[in-house]
Amino acid sequence: MRKIIATSALPYANGSIHLGHLVEYIQTDIWVRYQRLVGNEIHYICADDTHGTPIMLRAEKEGISPEQLVENVHKEHSADFSDFNISFDNFYSTNSIENKNLSEALYKSLVGNNKIEAKEIEQFYDDKKNMFLPDRFIKGTCPKCKANDQYGDSCESCGTTYSPTDLIDAYSVLTGSKPVKKKTEHYFFKLSECESFLSEWTQSDTLQKEALNKLQEWFKAGLADWDISRDAPYFGFEIPGAPGKYFYVWLDAPIGYMASFKNYADKNNLSYDEFWNKDSTTELVHFIGKDILYFHALFWPATLKYSGHRTPSKIYAHGFLTVNGEKMSKSRGTFITARSYIDAFKTPDYLRYYYFSKLNDSMGDIDLSLDDFIVKVNSDLIGKLVNIPSRTSGFVTKFFDNKIMLTTYFNESESQILVNNILLSKDEVTRLFEARQFSKICRLLISHVESVNEFVNNKEPWILAKDDAHKMKDSYLHEVCSAALQSFRLLSIYLSPIMPDLTKKIASFFNQEEFSSIDNLLSDVTTIKNYEHLLKRVEQKDVDIMVESNKNN
């Protein structure tokens, strides 16, 4: 049995969860649920990322404390994740005593290993606001690719990281004024001294090929030391021994993975050190967006290494979400919040299935075509998957007292082949789950669903039911319907990590509490309940309501 910590990137506590965020959380959750299904010990850890100037300024605007703001947002995020069946074992906050203690401890270890250096630097200062400007409150033209309106820490167009003072035609996001340069002392992590370690670490099959290629570009350009401090006023943790200086949010945010696990481990009698000490034999798997690869594949492993901790086992980066082929837009209503989706459709399974059908192991972007969303959900789930029990279970209820035949009693080779083909897919399904090749699993399983429907079409149970000879127990009608239903049950087990709401209903239909294991697929299921409608069709009006509710919000 493997022991794994899995994480999704920490959502920033400065706004609502939207469908772009959910690409990552749904992808991670499917992989985590698969690991549970095969019996591995996995702990899914996350937290709200709560520090930084944006939080401080939003709280000031709303007339509340930063602590109250992040508490309010945490409740909202927790409700959204719960309603999308994101099965965190612990969803915590980086504004915690565990994170404060761990951040200070890691920093002191880095100081002890001579990896921290104080330097006097020039930084942008907004005279109108009377404060040093954090990276995200400075915009300008990228010094490398010349893309306009890029933030002061990294370019969203080419991925380059830089100092805010390197921006061309920089301006303050807060006031629009041209910032002035002022000298201040900051603390730097000596990333430039870590290249040898990082080069070796990245060769250990930790990263996707695309991510590794990107890192090679950064190595070639040369690694710069990393500014890990910010000046007051700042909402965060003050650096020990440096009054008025605070840890940059990107230092304490990933430490939030450790802090969330520490909080969880202490409450559940788990060994924190077993998972985080430098000799740990457990796995640490991060799911992230490709836009934060630099932080997770360079700063984070180097910080862990030189503070005496284990490094990540895998970092899986994904691409962005477009809607209808374009960047999400508030004016078009395609910057869609998680809450507006749930309000419109009531279940997360439609979106979870749609993302599942699109996702793979690459860093490529995926598109949510709202027209395709309607067609795919209605075709695959309504027209094909739940069509199987709706067409066959009624005969079992009417003629066979809700009892289905075990596959060992099938007499016809076609019935046996139908079920066996699905059983024999288990190794391929598990291999593809592990590799995050979700779209391939989707195609494989839907092909089986289509085979079951074709089997039912060819056997025509509605015709067989007209012959009294087929209304007897263990008759051909009984076998046909049982083969279809047993196949449906097996496919639902494979699909349980993707659509937990639907498959829990299906498990109940087979008089089971839930599908919790992929072992012993042919259990002694002998009865079904009376069939009740499992899913409703997606209607255009529901999509329209969702889009309209997001326009200009």
Side-chain angles (χ1 to χ4, degrees), residues 471-487:
K471 296 175 185 177
M472 304 296 291
K473 183 177 180 293
D474 296 342
S475 66
Y476 189 40
L477 172 63
H478 197 188
E479 179 174 324
V480 166
C481 293
S482 297
L485 289 168
Q486 292 282 22
S487 298

Side-chain angles (χ1 to χ4, degrees), residues 181-199:
K181 294 179 182 178
K182 275 193 175 184
K183 290 186 176 180
T184 181
E185 186 177 65
H186 273 214
Y187 294 85
F188 287 79
F189 174 66
K190 297 178 183 178
L191 187 68
S192 58
E193 296 182 358
C194 304
E195 185 168 339
S196 176
F197 154 68
L198 288 168
S199 295

Side-chain angles (χ1 to χ4, degrees), residues 347 349-350 381-382 385-390 393 488 492 501-510 530-537:
T347 176
D349 281 351
Y350 301 140
L381 301 185
I382 315 300
L385 181 65
V386 302
N387 194 40
I388 297 170
S390 71
S393 62
F488 173 67
S492 298
D501 276 356
L502 174 62
T503 54
K504 190 168 185 178
K505 291 180 185 177
I506 294 170
S508 177
F509 170 68
F510 285 101
N530 291 350
Y531 180 75
E532 295 180 359
H533 197 52
L534 291 169
L535 279 177
K536 71 169 190 173
R537 293 178 61 84

Side-chain angles (χ1 to χ4, degrees), residues 119-130:
K119 299 179 186 178
E120 187 176 69
I121 64 167
E122 281 191 325
Q123 195 179 21
F124 279 138
Y125 188 86
D126 188 329
D127 277 329
K128 291 185 178 180
K129 193 69 177 173
N130 294 317

Side-chain angles (χ1 to χ4, degrees), residues 423-447:
L423 284 170
L424 290 171
S425 294
K426 176 183 171 181
D427 287 347
E428 180 71 356
V429 168
T430 55
R431 182 186 71 80
L432 292 173
F433 263 123
E434 184 64 45
R436 307 170 335 282
Q437 293 278 11
F438 295 164
S439 60
K440 288 185 178 180
I441 305 173
C442 186
R443 290 193 293 272
L444 173 62
L445 296 184
I446 290 301
S447 71

Side-chain angles (χ1 to χ4, degrees), residues 479-535:
E479 179 174 324
V480 166
C481 293
S482 297
L485 289 168
Q486 292 282 22
S487 298
F488 173 67
R489 178 182 164 276
L490 294 175
L491 290 166
S492 298
I493 294 172
Y494 293 150
L495 287 165
S496 60
I498 298 96
M499 296 178 288
D501 276 356
L502 174 62
T503 54
K504 190 168 185 178
K505 291 180 185 177
I506 294 170
S508 177
F509 170 68
F510 285 101
N511 289 294
Q512 293 181 279
E513 187 173 338
E514 61 181 357
F515 299 130
S516 58
S517 174
I518 204 167
D519 295 327
N520 301 317
L521 289 171
L522 286 180
S523 64
D524 295 330
V525 175
T526 57
T527 62
I528 59 171
K529 293 178 180 177
N530 291 350
Y531 180 75
E532 295 180 359
H533 197 52
L534 291 169
L535 279 177

